[in-house]
């Protein structure tokens, strides 16, 4: 049961990483470049900073769950 929950969280974090990486702009615009200026953020720089923090958090979560699932610590 707990393994299935971890697998769902693992899959969602992988999907989230893919989406967030695609939202990053190679020119540094980030979310601000999508449809004008994003309403959620005060500037493009804060948008990039927020994207970076969320992406890193999901990456750490993904790697941690990968280690737990592959090591067989939870059955």
């Amino acid at each position: 049961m707990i393994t299935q929950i971890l697998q769902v969280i693992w899959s969602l974090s992988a999907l989230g990483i893919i989406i967030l990486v695609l939202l990053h702009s190679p020119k540094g615009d980030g979310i601000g470049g999508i449809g004008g200026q994003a309403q959620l953020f005060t500037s493009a720089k804060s948008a990039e900073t927020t994207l970076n923090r969320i992406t890193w958090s999901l990456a750490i979560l993904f790697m941690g769950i990968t280690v737990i699932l592959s090591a067989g610590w939870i059955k």
Side-chain angles (χ1 to χ4, degrees):
M1 179 68 179
I2 197 94
T3 304
Q4 293 172 342
I5 294 170
L6 283 176
Q7 288 174 344
V8 168
I9 295 171
W10 182 73
S11 299
L12 291 175
S13 65
L15 184 63
I17 291 170
I18 292 168
I19 291 169
L20 289 173
V21 166
L22 290 174
L23 283 175
H24 282 276
S25 174
K27 297 177 185 168
D29 288 336
I31 290 179
I34 300 173
Q37 190 70 356
Q39 300 291 331
L40 183 60
F41 304 103
T42 57
S43 69
K45 184 175 180 177
S46 69
E48 276 298 313
T49 303
T50 304
L51 273 177
N52 285 336
R53 286 182 183 158
I54 296 171
T55 304
W56 275 106
S57 299
L58 282 178
I60 291 168
L61 177 69
F62 177 81
M63 289 185 280
I65 293 176
T66 299
V67 169
I68 291 169
L69 289 174
S70 66
W73 293 336
I74 297 176
K75 297 188 182 209

